[in-house]
Structures are given as structure tokens and as C-alpha cells.
Amino acid sequence: MMNVQAYVTRQYRFCAAHRLHAKELSDDVNRKVFGKCNNPNGHGHNYTVLVTVRGTINPQTGDVTDRERLDHLVATKIVERFDHRHLNHDSAFQDVVTTGENLAKFIWDELVGGIAIGQLEKIGLIETRDNYFEYQGEPCR
Ligand code: NI
């Protein structure tokens, strides 16, 4: 059994506030584009992050990555950074709107270089019952 590829997806959760607001647009246009998501005080979500890693099935252990190391990476890079914070106050989102699309891309960029075994394949982000976002960037090697 040589070089058999498989995928593993781990789920992580954090709670955060945000406000959809584009600095270069007027207040009126912001209200039209983002509706109630533009309310000045923001609102919260219980985010679920799905991190998918692709790798070769290790013939001894039968897995494609080290889940403990992945959990540690996501905890330190993502969950501790955002949990119970206001995303608009994070340095990453000073000039970037805190949409699910941008958040999924940011999570990809933070994690892609840190996967010890295997490669990052995809980031999924559940924001609400009806909003699910995905991002797949360039692999780092
Ligand atoms: Ni929202």
C-alpha cells in the first residue's frame, strides 16, 4: 500500500462578534449592501471551522496527519486569537471586511504553512444555519 491519499477533516469552534462594514463605502451604501449585518455595535456568531488535510496514509498508523499537532496549531493560531473577540478589532481585518469568505481565507493563510504532516486541502467555515463558506488556496509547497 504505497502513497495512498486520503483526507481528514477536524472541526473547531469559536464565538466572535463582527460587523460587516467597508471603510471605502459611505454609511448609506454600507447599510444597503450589508443590511442589519452593518449595525454599528456588531453581532455575534458561533463559528465552526472545518479544516481538511490531505496526506498519504501512513502504513503503520493508518492516518494521514498528526491530529494532536493539528489541534494545537488551530487552537493557537485561530481559536485563541478569535474566541470571544470582536473580529473587526483584529489587526487582520483593519482593511478587510469580516465576511465569511475573508475569514476562511485568513484561516487558510494562517494554517497552510504550519501543517506538520500532510497538506492543507480546504477550509470550511459555518457562520449561521444558512451560511457556509469555503476557501482553497495554493498549497505551500
Ligand atoms: Ni454576521
Side-chain angles (χ1 to χ4, degrees):
M1 198 170 80
M2 294 293 287
N3 197 27
V4 177
Q5 301 272 303
Y7 302 81
V8 59
T9 299
R10 298 277 290 163
Q11 291 193 40
Y12 305 91
R13 289 168 193 82
F14 64 86
C15 306
H18 76 157
R19 179 197 186 200
L20 296 183
H21 184 87
K23 283 179 178 171
E24 61 270 27
L25 301 177
S26 70
D27 287 352
D28 267 1
V29 174
N30 266 293
R31 274 192 292 273
K32 283 193 187 96
V33 171
F34 297 121
K36 65 184 180 181
C37 298
N38 182 244
N39 283 345
N41 290 336
H43 59 275
H45 293 291
N46 297 321
Y47 289 97
T48 299
V49 183
L50 293 93
V51 177
T52 301
V53 173
R54 173 169 58 91
T56 303
I57 299 178
N58 180 308
Q60 269 89 47
T61 61
D63 57 21
V64 300
T65 193
D66 182 326
R67 267 173 284 177
E68 265 184 48
R69 288 176 75 171
L70 180 63
D71 290 354
H72 180 74
L73 177 73
V74 178
T76 53
K77 291 267 194 180
I78 304 300
V79 177
E80 287 169 19
R81 178 170 183 156
F82 292 139
D83 194 33
H84 288 71
R85 307 292 169 91
H86 197 303
L87 299 177
N88 295 51
H89 297 171
D90 189 283
S91 59
F93 295 106
Q94 293 315 295
D95 298 307
V96 177
V97 183
T98 53
T99 56
E101 293 91 329
N102 281 331
L103 190 52
K105 178 186 185 304
F106 178 82
I107 294 169
W108 170 284
D109 291 342
E110 281 294 292
L111 298 183
V112 67
I115 307 291
I117 302 169
Q119 293 182 26
L120 190 58
E121 176 70 17
K122 186 167 75 179
I123 297 298
L125 181 72
I126 301 169
E127 186 186 62
T128 66
R129 188 192 64 184
D130 298 329
N131 282 344
Y132 171 66
F133 305 91
E134 287 185 344
Y135 183 81
Q136 190 172 31
E138 294 297 313
C140 70
R141 314 158 247 173

